[in-house]
Amino acid sequence: MTTAFITHPDTLLHIMDGNHPESPARITAIKNALVKQGIYQHLAVYEAPTASDTQLARVHHPDYIKHIRALSPKAGLVRLDADTAMGPMSLSATLHASGAAVLATDLVMQGKVDNAFCCVRPPGHHAGRANSAGFCIFNHIAVGVAHAIAQYKVQRVAIIDFDVHHGDGTEDIFKNNPQVMLCSTFQHPFYPHRGFDTRTATMINVPLPVNADGKQYQQAFDHEFLPALNRFKPDIIYVSAGFDAHVDDPLAGMHLINEDYAWITTFIKQVAKQHAQGRIVSLLEGGYHLHALAQAVSKHVSVMMQT
Ligand SMILES: [Zn+2]
């Protein structure tokens, strides 16, 4: 199997403030762990391009894209919402992160790689059609999904979001689109306090109580996600890969361990193999304990690479 690893140096230059948990050190920790474990050497490494305004405008309001471009500061920080800020390099970082999802889609759809992992930041799944939120400016996974539909005419796309927070921006963008299914596990009650009461045939929202462990996640995947995915038969699977449900994560209260990210990835691979010719585009969302994040991503990527 060939797995693409897509990143860009500018993802290290988006800094919200010196002690913020959503820090460039996350990307460095992941890369270092992959190198140390002998995984990185077997990945097909690509540099992410920037997403174009046309690609962004498939999921974001044109005025919102203009607004973000206009706010990008020459120096200092501009606050976009209670949790999200932009420095001088943040616009470039988030444009490359969305561009990573576009390139991953191209590589996977053209059969140049089997699957792809986008190691990027800021994350994206809280960004809605016309708003930033929760450290997110543009919604990269949504940009990738929309690219697959527009460019490759795929009929059905599934997104699996195992970040500890609900992917409310992704839901906002796709809730009325029957071509897109979102399968999302998340801690509830918890930020962003949305999605727990909005389940539909294509919005498979599974709120889980604080302290939920791998067993409870496995039940959610087997009993909620699997029947929905088998019914939907996606042509490609996107993964909002957040690793903040890890037991060591400082921002949340779930009990997943490194091994759980291995079976979760195996689950996704099996569904992709059955319905989607193995096509998987995975993109980093949250995960704030540097060591846990790096180890969990290593599990995720090493399973993606297995035949
Ligand atoms: Zn999160």
Side-chain angles (χ1 to χ4, degrees), residues 98-168:
S98 285
V102 171
L103 174 60
T105 303
D106 288 337
L107 292 170
V108 169
M109 288 306 301
Q110 293 170 16
K112 291 182 177 160
V113 300
D114 295 295
N115 51 42
F117 179 71
C118 303
C119 190
V120 292
R121 56 181 290 281
H125 72 154
H126 295 304
R129 196 166 279 282
N131 68 283
S132 64
F135 317 159
C136 306
I137 302 168
F138 293 131
N139 194 317
H140 321 305
I141 210 89
V143 171
V145 167
H147 185 65
I149 293 171
Q151 190 74 27
Y152 297 98
K153 312 293 177 212
V154 302
Q155 294 302 308
R156 289 173 307 281
V157 182
I159 303 166
I160 296 176
D161 184 332
F162 57 75
D163 189 279
V164 79
H165 305 95
H166 177 52
D168 58 330

Coordinates of all heavy atoms in Angstrom, one line a residue, residues 98-168:
S98 N -6.1 23.3 3.7 CA -7.2 23.0 2.8 C -6.7 22.4 1.5 O -7.3 21.5 0.9 CB -8.1 24.3 2.5 OG -8.9 24.6 3.6
G99 N -5.6 23.0 1.0 CA -4.9 22.5 -0.2 C -4.5 21.1 0.0 O -4.5 20.3 -1.0
A100 N -4.1 20.7 1.2 CA -3.6 19.3 1.4 C -4.8 18.4 1.2 O -4.6 17.3 0.6 CB -3.1 19.2 2.9
A101 N -6.0 18.8 1.6 CA -7.2 17.9 1.4 C -7.5 17.8 -0.1 O -7.9 16.7 -0.6 CB -8.4 18.5 2.1
V102 N -7.3 18.9 -0.9 CA -7.5 18.8 -2.3 C -6.5 17.9 -3.0 O -6.8 17.0 -3.8 CB -7.4 20.3 -2.9 CG1 -7.4 20.2 -4.4 CG2 -8.5 21.1 -2.4
L103 N -5.2 18.1 -2.6 CA -4.1 17.2 -3.2 C -4.4 15.8 -2.8 O -4.2 14.9 -3.7 CB -2.7 17.7 -2.7 CG -1.6 16.8 -3.2 CD1 -1.5 16.7 -4.7 CD2 -0.3 17.3 -2.5
A104 N -4.7 15.5 -1.6 CA -5.0 14.1 -1.1 C -6.1 13.5 -2.0 O -6.0 12.3 -2.4 CB -5.4 14.1 0.4
T105 N -7.1 14.3 -2.2 CA -8.3 13.8 -3.0 C -7.8 13.5 -4.5 O -8.1 12.4 -5.0 CB -9.3 14.9 -3.1 OG1 -9.7 15.3 -1.8 CG2 -10.5 14.5 -3.9
D106 N -7.0 14.4 -5.0 CA -6.4 14.1 -6.4 C -5.6 12.8 -6.4 O -5.8 12.0 -7.3 CB -5.6 15.3 -6.9 CG -6.4 16.5 -7.2 OD1 -7.6 16.4 -7.5 OD2 -5.9 17.7 -7.2
L107 N -4.7 12.7 -5.4 CA -3.8 11.5 -5.4 C -4.6 10.2 -5.3 O -4.3 9.2 -6.0 CB -2.8 11.7 -4.3 CG -1.8 12.8 -4.4 CD1 -1.0 13.0 -3.1 CD2 -0.8 12.5 -5.5
V108 N -5.6 10.2 -4.4 CA -6.3 9.0 -4.1 C -7.3 8.7 -5.3 O -7.4 7.6 -5.8 CB -7.1 9.2 -2.8 CG1 -8.1 8.0 -2.6 CG2 -6.1 9.2 -1.6
M109 N -8.0 9.8 -5.8 CA -8.9 9.5 -6.9 C -8.2 9.1 -8.2 O -8.8 8.4 -9.0 CB -9.8 10.8 -7.1 CG -10.8 11.0 -6.1 SD -11.9 9.7 -5.7 CE -12.7 9.4 -7.3
Q110 N -7.0 9.6 -8.4 CA -6.2 9.3 -9.6 C -5.4 8.0 -9.5 O -4.7 7.6 -10.4 CB -5.3 10.4 -10.0 CG -6.1 11.7 -10.5 CD -5.2 12.9 -10.6 OE1 -4.0 12.8 -10.7 NE2 -5.8 14.1 -10.7
G111 N -5.6 7.4 -8.3 CA -4.9 6.1 -8.0 C -3.4 6.2 -7.9 O -2.6 5.2 -8.0
K112 N -2.9 7.4 -7.6 CA -1.4 7.6 -7.5 C -0.9 7.1 -6.1 O 0.2 6.8 -6.0 CB -1.0 9.1 -7.7 CG -1.2 9.5 -9.1 CD -0.8 11.0 -9.3 CE -1.0 11.3 -10.8 NZ -1.1 12.8 -11.0
V113 N -1.8 7.1 -5.1 CA -1.6 6.5 -3.8 C -2.8 5.7 -3.4 O -3.9 5.9 -4.0 CB -1.2 7.5 -2.7 CG1 0.0 8.3 -3.1 CG2 -2.4 8.5 -2.5
D114 N -2.7 4.8 -2.4 CA -3.9 4.1 -2.0 C -4.7 5.0 -1.0 O -5.9 4.9 -1.0 CB -3.5 2.8 -1.3 CG -2.8 1.9 -2.2 OD1 -3.5 1.4 -3.2 OD2 -1.6 1.6 -2.1
N115 N -4.0 5.7 -0.1 CA -4.7 6.5 0.8 C -3.8 7.7 1.2 O -2.6 7.7 0.8 CB -5.3 5.7 2.0 CG -4.2 4.9 2.6 OD1 -3.0 5.3 2.8 ND2 -4.5 3.6 3.0
A116 N -4.3 8.6 2.0 CA -3.5 9.8 2.3 C -3.8 10.3 3.7 O -4.9 10.3 4.2 CB -3.7 10.9 1.3
F117 N -2.7 10.8 4.4 CA -2.9 11.5 5.7 C -2.3 12.9 5.5 O -1.2 13.1 5.1 CB -2.1 10.7 6.8 CG -2.2 11.4 8.1 CD1 -3.4 11.4 8.8 CD2 -1.1 12.1 8.7 CE1 -3.5 12.0 10.1 CE2 -1.3 12.7 9.9 CZ -2.5 12.7 10.6
C118 N -3.2 13.9 5.9 CA -2.8 15.3 5.8 C -2.4 15.7 7.2 O -3.2 15.8 8.1 CB -4.0 16.1 5.3 SG -4.6 15.6 3.7
C119 N -1.1 16.0 7.4 CA -0.6 16.4 8.7 C -0.5 17.9 8.7 O 0.5 18.5 8.3 CB 0.8 15.8 8.9 SG 1.4 16.0 10.6
V120 N -1.6 18.6 9.0 CA -1.7 20.0 8.9 C -2.4 20.7 10.1 O -3.0 20.0 10.9 CB -2.6 20.3 7.6 CG1 -1.9 19.9 6.3 CG2 -4.0 19.6 7.7
R121 N -2.3 21.9 10.2 CA -3.0 22.8 11.2 C -3.1 24.2 10.6 O -2.3 24.5 9.7 CB -2.3 22.7 12.5 CG -0.8 23.1 12.5 CD -0.2 23.0 13.8 NE -0.6 24.0 14.7 CZ -0.2 25.3 14.7 NH1 0.7 25.7 13.8 NH2 -0.7 26.2 15.6
P122 N -3.9 25.0 11.1 CA -5.0 24.8 12.1 C -5.9 23.7 11.7 O -6.0 23.4 10.5 CB -5.7 26.1 12.2 CG -5.5 26.8 10.9 CD -4.2 26.4 10.4
P123 N -6.7 23.1 12.6 CA -7.7 22.1 12.3 C -8.9 22.8 11.6 O -8.8 24.0 11.4 CB -8.2 21.5 13.6 CG -7.8 22.6 14.6 CD -6.6 23.3 14.1
G124 N -9.9 22.0 11.1 CA -10.9 22.6 10.3 C -12.4 22.3 10.7 O -13.3 23.0 10.2
H125 N -12.6 21.2 11.4 CA -14.0 20.7 11.4 C -15.0 21.6 12.2 O -16.2 21.3 12.1 CB -14.0 19.2 11.9 CG -13.8 19.0 13.3 ND1 -14.3 17.9 14.0 CD2 -13.1 19.7 14.2 CE1 -13.9 18.0 15.3 NE2 -13.1 19.0 15.4
H126 N -14.6 22.6 12.9 CA -15.6 23.5 13.5 C -15.9 24.7 12.7 O -16.8 25.4 13.0 CB -15.0 24.0 14.9 CG -14.8 23.0 15.9 ND1 -15.9 22.1 16.3 CD2 -13.7 22.6 16.6 CE1 -15.4 21.3 17.3 NE2 -14.1 21.5 17.5
A127 N -15.1 24.9 11.6 CA -15.4 26.0 10.7 C -16.6 25.8 9.9 O -16.7 24.7 9.2 CB -14.2 26.3 9.8
G128 N -17.6 26.6 10.0 CA -18.9 26.5 9.2 C -18.8 27.2 7.9 O -17.8 27.7 7.5
R129 N -20.0 27.3 7.2 CA -20.0 27.9 5.9 C -19.5 29.3 5.9 O -18.8 29.8 5.0 CB -21.5 27.9 5.4 CG -21.6 28.1 3.9 CD -23.0 27.7 3.5 NE -23.2 26.3 3.3 CZ -22.7 25.6 2.2 NH1 -22.0 26.3 1.2 NH2 -22.9 24.3 2.1
A130 N -19.8 30.1 7.0 CA -19.4 31.5 7.1 C -18.9 31.9 8.4 O -19.1 33.0 8.9 CB -20.6 32.4 6.7
N131 N -18.3 30.9 9.1 CA -17.7 31.3 10.5 C -16.5 30.4 10.8 O -16.5 29.3 10.5 CB -18.8 31.2 11.5 CG -19.2 29.7 11.8 OD1 -19.9 29.1 11.0 ND2 -18.7 29.1 12.8
S132 N -15.6 31.1 11.6 CA -14.5 30.4 12.2 C -15.1 29.9 13.6 O -16.1 30.3 14.0 CB -13.4 31.3 12.5 OG -13.8 32.3 13.4
A133 N -14.4 28.9 14.2 CA -14.8 28.5 15.6 C -13.7 27.5 16.0 O -13.1 26.8 15.2 CB -16.2 27.8 15.6
G134 N -13.6 27.4 17.3 CA -12.8 26.3 17.9 C -11.4 26.0 17.3 O -11.1 24.9 16.9
F135 N -10.6 27.0 17.1 CA -9.3 27.0 16.5 C -9.3 26.8 15.0 O -8.3 26.7 14.3 CB -8.4 25.8 17.0 CG -8.4 25.6 18.5 CD1 -8.0 24.4 19.1 CD2 -8.8 26.6 19.4 CE1 -8.0 24.2 20.5 CE2 -8.8 26.4 20.8 CZ -8.4 25.2 21.3
C136 N -10.5 26.8 14.3 CA -10.6 26.4 12.9 C -11.0 27.7 12.1 O -11.9 28.4 12.5 CB -11.7 25.3 12.7 SG -11.4 23.9 13.7
I137 N -10.4 27.9 10.9 CA -10.7 29.0 10.1 C -11.4 28.5 8.8 O -12.5 29.0 8.5 CB -9.4 29.8 9.7 CG1 -8.7 30.2 11.0 CG2 -9.7 30.9 8.8 CD1 -7.3 30.7 10.8
F138 N -10.8 27.6 8.0 CA -11.5 27.0 6.9 C -11.7 25.5 7.2 O -10.8 24.9 7.9 CB -10.7 27.2 5.6 CG -10.6 28.6 5.1 CD1 -9.4 29.2 4.7 CD2 -11.8 29.4 5.0 CE1 -9.4 30.5 4.3 CE2 -11.7 30.7 4.6 CZ -10.5 31.3 4.2
N139 N -12.7 24.9 6.6 CA -13.0 23.5 6.9 C -12.4 22.6 5.8 O -12.9 22.4 4.8 CB -14.5 23.3 6.9 CG -14.9 22.0 7.5 OD1 -14.3 21.0 7.2 ND2 -15.9 21.9 8.4
H140 N -11.2 22.1 6.1 CA -10.4 21.4 5.1 C -11.0 20.1 4.6 O -11.0 19.8 3.4 CB -9.0 21.1 5.7 CG -8.4 22.2 6.5 ND1 -8.3 23.5 6.1 CD2 -8.0 22.2 7.8 CE1 -7.8 24.2 7.1 NE2 -7.6 23.5 8.1
I141 N -11.6 19.4 5.5 CA -12.2 18.1 5.2 C -13.4 18.4 4.2 O -13.6 17.7 3.2 CB -12.6 17.3 6.4 CG1 -12.5 15.8 6.1 CG2 -14.0 17.6 6.9 CD1 -11.2 15.1 6.3
A142 N -14.1 19.4 4.5 CA -15.3 19.8 3.6 C -14.8 20.2 2.3 O -15.4 19.9 1.2 CB -16.1 20.9 4.3
V143 N -13.6 21.0 2.2 CA -13.1 21.4 0.9 C -12.7 20.2 0.1 O -12.9 20.1 -1.1 CB -11.9 22.3 1.2 CG1 -11.1 22.6 -0.1 CG2 -12.3 23.7 1.8
G144 N -12.1 19.2 0.8 CA -11.7 17.9 0.1 C -12.9 17.2 -0.4 O -12.9 16.7 -1.6
V145 N -13.9 17.0 0.4 CA -15.1 16.3 0.0 C -15.8 17.0 -1.2 O -16.2 16.4 -2.2 CB -16.1 16.3 1.2 CG1 -17.5 15.8 0.7 CG2 -15.6 15.4 2.3
A146 N -15.9 18.3 -1.1 CA -16.5 19.1 -2.2 C -15.7 18.9 -3.5 O -16.3 18.9 -4.6 CB -16.7 20.5 -1.8
H147 N -14.4 18.9 -3.4 CA -13.5 18.7 -4.5 C -13.8 17.3 -5.2 O -13.8 17.2 -6.4 CB -12.1 18.8 -4.1 CG -11.1 18.8 -5.3 ND1 -11.0 19.7 -6.3 CD2 -10.1 17.9 -5.6 CE1 -10.1 19.4 -7.1 NE2 -9.5 18.3 -6.7
A148 N -13.9 16.3 -4.4 CA -14.2 14.9 -4.9 C -15.5 14.9 -5.7 O -15.6 14.3 -6.8 CB -14.2 13.9 -3.8
I149 N -16.5 15.6 -5.2 CA -17.8 15.6 -5.8 C -17.7 16.5 -7.1 O -18.2 16.0 -8.2 CB -18.9 16.2 -4.9 CG1 -19.1 15.2 -3.7 CG2 -20.2 16.4 -5.6 CD1 -20.0 15.7 -2.6
A150 N -17.1 17.6 -7.1 CA -17.1 18.5 -8.2 C -16.1 18.0 -9.3 O -16.4 18.0 -10.5 CB -16.6 19.9 -7.8
Q151 N -14.9 17.5 -8.9 CA -13.9 17.2 -9.9 C -14.0 15.8 -10.4 O -13.7 15.5 -11.6 CB -12.5 17.4 -9.2 CG -11.3 17.3 -10.2 CD -11.2 18.6 -11.0 OE1 -11.6 19.7 -10.6 NE2 -10.7 18.4 -12.2
Y152 N -14.4 14.9 -9.5 CA -14.4 13.4 -9.9 C -15.8 12.8 -10.0 O -15.9 11.6 -10.2 CB -13.5 12.7 -8.9 CG -12.1 13.2 -9.0 CD1 -11.6 14.1 -8.1 CD2 -11.2 12.7 -10.0 CE1 -10.3 14.6 -8.2 CE2 -9.9 13.2 -10.1 CZ -9.5 14.1 -9.2 OH -8.2 14.6 -9.3
K153 N -16.8 13.7 -9.8 CA -18.2 13.3 -9.9 C -18.5 12.0 -9.0 O -19.3 11.2 -9.5 CB -18.6 12.9 -11.4 CG -18.1 14.0 -12.4 CD -18.9 15.3 -12.2 CE -18.4 16.4 -13.2 NZ -18.5 17.8 -12.6
V154 N -17.9 11.9 -7.9 CA -18.3 10.8 -7.0 C -19.7 11.1 -6.5 O -20.1 12.2 -6.3 CB -17.3 10.6 -5.8 CG1 -15.9 10.4 -6.3 CG2 -17.3 11.8 -4.9
Q155 N -20.4 10.0 -6.3 CA -21.9 10.2 -5.9 C -22.1 10.3 -4.4 O -22.9 11.0 -3.9 CB -22.6 9.0 -6.5 CG -22.7 8.9 -8.0 CD -23.3 10.2 -8.6 OE1 -24.4 10.6 -8.2 NE2 -22.5 10.8 -9.5
R156 N -21.3 9.5 -3.6 CA -21.5 9.5 -2.2 C -20.2 9.5 -1.4 O -19.3 8.7 -1.7 CB -22.3 8.2 -1.8 CG -23.8 8.2 -2.2 CD -24.4 6.8 -2.0 NE -23.6 5.7 -2.6 CZ -23.6 5.4 -3.9 NH1 -24.4 6.0 -4.7 NH2 -22.9 4.4 -4.3
V157 N -20.1 10.4 -0.5 CA -18.9 10.6 0.3 C -19.3 10.4 1.8 O -20.2 11.1 2.3 CB -18.3 12.0 0.1 CG1 -17.0 12.1 0.9 CG2 -18.0 12.2 -1.4
A158 N -18.5 9.6 2.5 CA -18.7 9.5 4.0 C -17.5 10.2 4.7 O -16.4 10.1 4.2 CB -18.8 8.0 4.4
I159 N -17.9 10.8 5.8 CA -16.9 11.4 6.6 C -17.0 10.7 8.0 O -18.1 10.7 8.6 CB -17.1 13.0 6.8 CG1 -17.1 13.7 5.5 CG2 -16.0 13.5 7.7 CD1 -17.7 15.1 5.6
I160 N -15.9 10.2 8.5 CA -15.8 9.7 9.8 C -15.0 10.6 10.7 O -13.9 10.9 10.4 CB -15.3 8.2 9.8 CG1 -16.2 7.3 9.0 CG2 -15.1 7.7 11.3 CD1 -15.6 5.9 8.8
D161 N -15.7 11.2 11.7 CA -15.0 12.2 12.6 C -15.0 11.6 14.0 O -16.0 11.5 14.7 CB -15.9 13.4 12.5 CG -15.3 14.6 13.3 OD1 -14.5 14.3 14.3 OD2 -15.5 15.8 12.9
F162 N -13.7 11.2 14.4 CA -13.6 10.6 15.7 C -12.9 11.6 16.7 O -12.5 11.2 17.8 CB -12.9 9.2 15.7 CG -11.5 9.2 15.0 CD1 -10.4 9.7 15.7 CD2 -11.4 8.6 13.8 CE1 -9.2 9.6 15.1 CE2 -10.1 8.5 13.2 CZ -9.0 9.0 13.8
D163 N -12.8 12.8 16.3 CA -12.3 13.9 17.2 C -13.2 13.9 18.4 O -14.4 13.6 18.3 CB -12.3 15.2 16.5 CG -11.7 16.3 17.3 OD1 -12.3 16.9 18.2 OD2 -10.5 16.7 17.0
V164 N -12.7 14.3 19.6 CA -13.6 14.3 20.8 C -14.7 15.3 20.7 O -15.7 15.2 21.4 CB -12.7 14.4 22.1 CG1 -12.3 15.9 22.3 CG2 -13.4 13.9 23.3
H165 N -14.5 16.3 19.9 CA -15.5 17.4 19.7 C -16.3 17.1 18.5 O -15.8 16.6 17.5 CB -14.8 18.7 19.6 CG -13.9 19.1 20.7 ND1 -12.5 18.9 20.6 CD2 -14.1 19.6 21.9 CE1 -11.9 19.3 21.8 NE2 -12.9 19.7 22.6
H166 N -17.6 17.4 18.6 CA -18.4 17.2 17.4 C -18.0 18.1 16.2 O -17.7 19.3 16.4 CB -19.9 17.6 17.7 CG -20.8 17.4 16.5 ND1 -20.8 16.3 15.7 CD2 -21.7 18.3 16.0 CE1 -21.7 16.5 14.8 NE2 -22.2 17.7 14.9
G167 N -18.0 17.6 15.0 CA -17.6 18.3 13.8 C -18.8 19.2 13.4 O -19.4 19.0 12.3
D168 N -19.1 20.2 14.2 CA -20.3 21.0 13.9 C -20.2 21.8 12.6 O -21.2 22.1 11.9 CB -20.7 21.9 15.1 CG -19.5 22.8 15.5 OD1 -18.4 22.5 15.3 OD2 -19.8 23.9 16.0

